[in-house]
Amino acid sequence: MFSEVVIFGQGYVGLPLAIAIAKSNIKVLGIDSDIRRIDQIKNGISPIEDLDSDELNRVLESGFFNVSENDYFHISTNVICICVPTPLTKFGTPDLSALESATISAGKNLRPGMLVIIESTIQPGTTRNFILPILEKYSGLVSGDFFLAFSPERVDPINKIWGLKNTPKLVAGLTVDAAN
Ligand SMILES: NC(=O)c1ccc[n+]([C@@H]2O[C@H](COP(=O)([O-])OP(=O)(O)OC[C@H]3O[C@@H](n4cnc5c(N)ncnc54)[C@H](O)[C@@H]3O)[C@@H](O)[C@H]2O)c1
């Protein structure tokens, strides 16, 4: 499927984002490492309270949204969002393993001109010192060939007043071009 946006992680953050993008008539591919979640979404059963299954089915039928466990991106992709879990370890330090694996996949598929947006919760310095080196290593590109931004998600699941469209959000680019 042609997809202009690819979103890693189809949970509380990534799935509503994918639905909102698809409803704007932009083709989006949601990638998740949990095959049961992918099957559930493909079958039109919403795995999260925030998203009604009827709405999910309507968006699936629109042809603007697809999901996969496979991290192959189509040539048409120009934006990658990373919305994977970043829990704390038993020692209270960030567990970046899911972020690392999604970033490696993104790096392998990165082409000049693409924008990568990190939406997962991470500590200061992680975009510059952890994400960027992985993207550069696996793509063979350098910052400037592609764009990297951090925009932490602020979603408050099942809040009926504040949602994806009306919650103010911070956007920080590694470079001015990436922020713009
Ligand atoms: N849920 C919230 O209220 C909320 C609010 C603000 C920020 N955040 C942050 O957003 C991030 C995502 O949280 P969430 O609540 O959506 O998590 P979630 O557990 O609901 O969903 C994450 C999804 O990512 C998938 N995943 C894990 N590793 C993957 C990989 N390598 N590639 C592709 N998919 C992978 C999981 O299978 C899961 O379906 C976290 O950093 C979290 O701290 C969450």
Side-chain angles (χ1 to χ4, degrees), residues 10-17 19-20 23 37 45-56 58 153-165 167:
Q10 290 295 285
Y12 284 99
V13 170
L15 182 54
L17 182 61
I19 296 294
K23 283 168 79 176
R37 173 152 295 205
I45 302 163
S46 173
I48 57 169
E49 298 88 335
D50 264 356
L51 176 65
D52 183 71
S53 291
D54 289 342
E55 185 179 4
L56 172 61
R58 277 194 298 275
E153 183 50 65
R154 302 189 59 216
V155 70
D156 181 18
I158 68 172
N159 187 325
K160 299 283 179 219
I161 298 170
W162 295 100
L164 197 64
K165 286 192 173 166
T167 304

Side-chain angles (χ1 to χ4, degrees), residues 102-125:
T103 305
I104 289 172
S105 294
K108 287 179 178 171
N109 286 281
L110 205 58
R111 287 187 308 279
M114 279 185 175
L115 168 65
V116 181
I117 307 170
I118 309 302
E119 301 245 355
S120 297
T121 305
I122 47 176
Q123 64 185 8

Side-chain angles (χ1 to χ4, degrees), residues 16 22 31 55 62 135 155 157 169:
I31 294 176
E55 185 179 4
S62 76
L135 291 176
V155 70
K169 214 158 174 276

Side-chain angles (χ1 to χ4, degrees), residues 40-156:
Q40 193 179 351
I41 296 172
K42 274 186 179 162
N43 287 322
I45 302 163
S46 173
I48 57 169
E49 298 88 335
D50 264 356
L51 176 65
D52 183 71
S53 291
D54 289 342
E55 185 179 4
L56 172 61
N57 277 294
R58 277 194 298 275
V59 175
L60 285 168
E61 282 163 16
S62 76
F64 282 95
F65 176 49
N66 206 345
V67 282
S68 175
E69 73 283 6
N70 184 333
D71 71 359
Y72 168 75
F73 299 3
H74 194 270
I75 191 89
S76 59
T77 303
N78 45 38
V79 179
I80 302 167
C81 298
I82 300 188
C83 308
V84 299
T86 46
L88 292 177
T89 65
K90 63 180 177 181
F91 306 109
T93 54
D95 175 358
L96 299 180
S97 54
L99 186 63
E100 180 177 23
S101 111
T103 305
I104 289 172
S105 294
K108 287 179 178 171
N109 286 281
L110 205 58
R111 287 187 308 279
M114 279 185 175
L115 168 65
V116 181
I117 307 170
I118 309 302
E119 301 245 355
S120 297
T121 305
I122 47 176
Q123 64 185 8
T126 308
T127 304
R128 190 183 303 275
N129 301 323
F130 183 79
I131 303 286
L132 178 64
I134 296 174
L135 291 176
E136 290 186 333
K137 175 178 172 187
Y138 284 88
S139 67
L141 303 174
V142 294
S143 172
D145 298 336
F146 63 90
F147 307 103
L148 177 57
F150 173 51
S151 183
E153 183 50 65
R154 302 189 59 216
V155 70
D156 181 18

